[in-house]
Amino acid sequence: IVGGEHGDFFPGRAHLRHLIMQRLPVSPASLIALCACPLIAAATLVISPDIDGVQRWLPLGPLRLHAAALLGPAFAIALQARDDRVGIAACVVMAAVLFLQPDLGTSIALVGAAALSLVASRSPGRITILAIAVAGCALTATRPDSLQPVSFVEGVLQDLAQQGPALIIIAASALLAAILAPSLRAHDRNTGGLAASGWYLGLLVASLAGNYPTPLIGYGAAPIIGYGIAIGLLGRGRQSPGPVRRNAI
């Protein structure tokens, strides 16, 4: 018996809980996201339809969901909480999958998430993760990508700019608000919110520089679902103390 209705019978209970949380600071949801997201993304190399040499989609009956748009934001949030060997290994796997698909736009998003996470902490682990993301992005840029742009998916901001200043101002303002919102949450400052915002900033840069989907305001269900998953994961992790630190008990 360690507690009861009128208080703790075990005075060291709070201290023991604190030590355990130091050893296991990452929520189960974040750990699952860190491990599952690269593996599910890797499954596209086997089950995704091959479109002009590109495999990025999860076939779900009549639907095809972009794997990285669906799972990438959650992976970015989970990754910033693990600047140890587990996080580095997960980043290597994800970078390799993006190279094989290939998906340069998402590789840029991974760089954005890793870079913005450095605002919170410039630990050796996070610097290593950024270096891996940059190297993976550079290698992915060497892969051919012959997919043609699709209306209302790629080039959305560019198309709106041709319709007049009012539409582009409204759309760009709404998009930036959605991208920056996770990093502005007070309890998530310097944690997962920065990684999520960095991820979407990377996607935005990619969409402006090449034929890659415009995040959040482009056509498609996966980016919206992925954004919702990310916000939910941030809510679950609001009490997270930050990156893993291996303290001896």
Side-chain angles (χ1 to χ4, degrees), residues 26 31 34 78-84 86-88 129 243-244 246:
V26 181
L31 190 58
L34 187 69
L79 183 62
Q80 63 77 37
R82 297 294 302 233
D83 58 358
D84 59 352
V86 174
I88 292 172
I129 287 172
V244 165
R246 297 302 180 190

Side-chain angles (χ1 to χ4, degrees), residues 35-47:
C35 298
C37 290
L39 296 179
I40 296 175
T44 62
L45 301 174
V46 178
I47 64 176

Side-chain angles (χ1 to χ4, degrees), residues 14-169:
H15 179 64
L16 178 61
R17 182 173 178 232
H18 174 71
L19 291 176
I20 293 174
M21 291 304 294
Q22 282 187 317
R23 299 284 292 187
L24 298 171
V26 181
S27 70
S30 293
L31 190 58
I32 291 172
L34 187 69
C35 298
C37 290
L39 296 179
I40 296 175
T44 62
L45 301 174
V46 178
I47 64 176
S48 172
D50 188 313
I51 303 177
D52 294 333
V54 176
Q55 296 174 288
R56 303 172 184 166
W57 299 274
L58 291 172
L60 299 176
L63 302 178
R64 290 186 306 183
L65 297 179
H66 192 286
L70 183 68
L71 304 170
F75 176 77
I77 293 169
L79 183 62
Q80 63 77 37
R82 297 294 302 233
D83 58 358
D84 59 352
R85 294 178 182 176
V86 174
I88 292 172
C91 186
V92 169
V93 173
M94 181 62 85
V97 170
L98 296 176
F99 169 77
L100 294 172
Q101 286 182 335
D103 190 347
L104 180 58
T106 303
S107 293
I108 295 173
L110 184 60
V111 172
L116 208 57
S117 294
L118 291 180
V119 174
S121 169
R122 293 179 177 84
S123 67
R126 286 190 175 179
I127 294 173
T128 301
I129 287 172
L130 176 59
I132 292 169
V134 171
C137 185
L139 290 173
T140 304
T142 66
R143 296 290 308 279
D145 185 347
S146 57
L147 283 181
Q148 297 301 307
V150 178
S151 297
F152 306 110
V153 177
E154 289 90 10
V156 175
L157 290 176
Q158 295 91 323
D159 291 341
L160 288 175
Q162 298 177 4
Q163 305 300 318
L167 284 177
I168 186 62
I169 290 174

Side-chain angles (χ1 to χ4, degrees), residues 73-74 77 178 181-183 185 187-188 196 200 225-238:
I77 293 169
S183 65
R185 289 158 55 99
H187 53 266
D188 286 324
Y200 284 107
I225 298 173
Y227 188 84
I229 293 173
I231 295 301
L233 192 58
L234 288 175
R236 290 180 63 89
R238 67 175 57 187

Side-chain angles (χ1 to χ4, degrees), residues 169-185 193 196-197 200-201 204 215-217 227 231:
I169 290 174
I170 293 172
S173 299
L175 178 57
L176 286 175
I179 288 175
L180 297 177
S183 65
L184 298 178
R185 289 158 55 99
S197 292
Y200 284 107
L201 284 173
L204 177 59
L216 300 179
I217 62 173
Y227 188 84
I231 295 301

